[in-house]
Amino acid sequence: MAISIQTNYASLVAQNSLAKSTESLNTSMERLGTGFRINSAKDDAAGLTIANRMNTDMVGMNAGISNIEKTQDMLQTADQAMAELTSITDRMTELATQASNGTNSTADLAAMDEEFQKLATEANRIYNDTQYAGNDLFGKLSAGSMNVQIGRNGSADSISVDVSAEMTKMGSSLAALSGMSFVSGSGSSMTTTGSAQDILTELSDTSDDISAARSATGAYINSLEHTKSNLMNVEMNTEVAKGRIMDADFAEEGANMSKQMMLQQSGTMVMANAKSMSGLALNLIG
């Protein structure tokens, strides 16, 4: 190779190699410091785009899981209220059955009818006044279909919960019990009438309507639980897939850092030796 003062080829090669090893070393140190393989778009533009899309999907799924849980809480609150309505109508049925028997005294009939009226009032109060998160619970459930958003993809990630028909029918049955009485007359002439048996029929229908409403509510609670479980599985696997794209491999980066540090030291030594080439040229003409 020719000896030149104008162009120090060995020094240029060493500088270029040193710059590359320094850049690679900085990249490895950045990855080890942050834990991410991709810290900017230049590291992997396509990978960053895919990872960002996955992250957005997970944000939507997290919110969807929260929406499902809120809906389940609402439906479970309604279910517990309807369980209480079942207890009330069972007691009303017991009273109506007792009142239909001819052995009751006037005082017995008056006491049973008074309890029956109060229970009917309480049943309707539960239906009309039970609140959830500041809203009229059964009024909302009776209003129509409720949308449950389970992800970020608009209508494709939407589930409808509709128990309005069952809730409305149950409410009408409970309202029909108000004002019913299985006694007539007053004082010593108070007697049971055929209406006591009619009330038993009405109570049987009301119990069936409550059971139907609870069944519809329970079906949605179970269905939403499966939807939530699936979302959690998808979210977990999406997180794993994103990690494969974004996360730094510490073993690989650690080895690369050691390699680049040695190359950097070697490049520095070569550059120092390359400077002596110009001195050699001067010696030839000295």
Side-chain angles (χ1 to χ4, degrees):
M1 179 182 292
I3 298 175
S4 172
I5 294 177
Q6 296 292 343
T7 303
N8 191 333
Y9 179 77
S11 178
L12 293 175
V13 171
Q15 288 178 46
N16 186 53
S17 177
L18 181 60
K20 288 181 179 179
S21 61
T22 299
E23 182 179 359
S24 182
L25 175 61
N26 289 338
T27 298
S28 290
M29 292 179 70
E30 180 182 30
R31 289 173 176 174
L32 290 171
T34 63
F36 291 114
R37 185 181 71 87
I38 303 175
N39 291 284
S40 64
K42 71 179 180 63
D43 294 332
D44 185 349
L48 182 63
T49 299
I50 295 170
N52 284 342
R53 187 182 301 117
M54 288 180 172
N55 191 68
T56 303
D57 285 340
M58 287 190 295
V59 169
M61 285 185 280
N62 271 324
I65 290 170
S66 178
N67 288 343
I68 289 173
E69 290 173 342
K70 289 176 182 176
T71 304
Q72 285 180 309
D73 289 343
M74 182 180 185
L75 293 175
Q76 285 170 345
T77 301
D79 180 64
Q80 291 303 307
M82 289 186 287
E84 196 59 37
L85 288 174
T86 298
S87 296
I88 290 174
T89 53
D90 284 348
R91 175 57 180 164
M92 293 173 76
T93 298
E94 182 180 10
L95 290 169
T97 302
Q98 291 174 350
S100 298
N101 197 43
T103 60
N104 296 300
S105 67
T106 299
D108 292 336
L109 291 173
M112 286 186 286
D113 190 61
E114 181 181 7
E115 183 180 354
F116 182 92
Q117 301 301 327
K118 288 181 178 178
L119 289 172
T121 299
E122 178 59 18
N124 279 279
R125 188 201 66 77
I126 290 174
Y127 181 81
N128 293 313
D129 297 338
T130 298
Q131 300 287 303
Y132 178 79
N135 296 312
D136 178 3
L137 176 59
F138 288 104
K140 189 171 183 64
L141 293 174
S142 300
S145 176
M146 292 191 307
N147 178 63
V148 183
Q149 195 66 32
I150 62 171
R152 71 181 182 96
N153 297 312
S155 59
D157 283 338
S158 177
I159 294 176
S160 293
V161 172
D162 192 351
V163 292
S164 57
E166 292 84 358
M167 294 298 174
T168 300
K169 187 176 181 182
M170 180 181 70
S172 297
S173 294
L174 291 170
L177 295 177
S178 295
M180 284 188 173
S181 175
F182 39 72
V183 297
S184 63
S186 60
S188 61
S189 62
M190 183 179 289
T191 59
T192 59
T193 65
S195 62
Q197 286 149 346
D198 294 335
I199 291 173
L200 283 173
T201 300
E202 182 67 33
L203 281 167
S204 178
D205 292 340
T206 300
S207 295
D208 290 342
D209 291 341
I210 295 172
S211 294
R214 290 193 72 184
S215 178
T217 300
Y220 275 113
I221 292 173
N222 288 334
S223 175
L224 288 171
E225 186 63 30
H226 290 299
T227 302
K228 182 176 76 171
S229 179
N230 181 62
L231 273 179
M232 292 173 69
N233 288 331
V234 173
E235 181 191 19
M236 178 188 68
N237 288 306
T238 302
E239 178 69 33
V240 171
K242 189 189 81 166
R244 290 195 181 100
I245 297 172
M246 292 292 296
D247 295 350
D249 184 333
F250 269 61
E252 179 183 350
E253 296 302 332
N256 188 61
M257 183 180 70
S258 298
K259 171 186 173 182
Q260 299 306 325
M261 287 179 70
M262 287 187 288
L263 287 173
Q264 189 181 52
Q265 292 172 6
S266 175
T268 302
M269 294 176 62
V270 170
M271 281 189 64
N273 291 328
K275 291 179 182 179
S276 65
M277 296 297 293
S278 297
L280 178 60
L282 293 174
N283 289 334
L284 291 173
I285 61 175

